[in-house]
Amino acid sequence: QVQLVESGGGLVQPGGSLTLSCIASGFAFDTYNMNWFRQAPGKERQFVAAISRSGGTTLYANSVKGRFTCSRDNAKNTVHLQMKSLKPEDTAVYYCARGGWGQATGADYWGQGTQVTVSS
């Protein structure tokens, strides 16, 4: 049973930092690229970051480049998204997804999402 469970969301002020985690189970984690997407109310789901199977290559959306860092620990079946210098426009539900590379259509499993709210 494939499962992806995100955690770490919450309320943070602009300029603050937050780290999200996604714990995977039910499959060979180190054989898949992992992606982060986000979706704000009334908006399309947007690519955020991707990381290769070994963690050696990452890809970021221009909107988060230089502020967000994606990493993974294959021994713990976990992928992280470290977010800094957060902006109100980063407010969204953040989703962890299995497979693909920067496109939602490439992913076959999704987590339930975790809410990130950036507000003063």
Side-chain angles (χ1 to χ4, degrees):
Q1 182 181 9
V2 174
Q3 288 191 75
L4 300 171
V5 181
E6 303 96 333
S7 63
L11 176 64
V12 64
Q13 293 193 332
S17 299
L18 208 59
T19 298
L20 308 182
S21 297
C22 173
I23 301 176
S25 61
F27 66 98
F29 181 69
D30 61 358
T31 68
Y32 287 87
N33 299 328
M34 298 297 294
N35 289 250
W36 288 96
F37 294 84
R38 66 187 183 187
Q39 188 167 27
K43 305 295 183 181
E44 293 186 351
R45 189 163 295 188
Q46 179 186 41
F47 169 73
V48 177
I51 188 164
S52 62
R53 299 170 185 179
S54 67
T57 305
T58 52
L59 177 69
Y60 299 97
N62 288 335
S63 59
V64 307
K65 196 172 300 180
R67 300 188 298 120
F68 290 13
T69 302
C70 187
S71 61
R72 68 192 293 166
D73 185 343
N74 286 346
K76 297 180 178 179
N77 287 356
T78 303
V79 60
H80 302 281
L81 184 67
Q82 183 180 15
M83 305 180 292
K84 64 179 182 179
S85 301
L86 283 161
K87 305 173 181 179
E89 50 262 46
D90 295 318
T91 296
V93 177
Y94 283 71
Y95 297 91
C96 177
R98 186 184 83 166
W101 192 249
Q103 299 182 72
T105 52
D108 58 1
Y109 283 91
W110 298 75
Q112 85 290 346
T114 186
Q115 176 72 48
V116 173
T117 302
V118 184
S119 177
S120 59

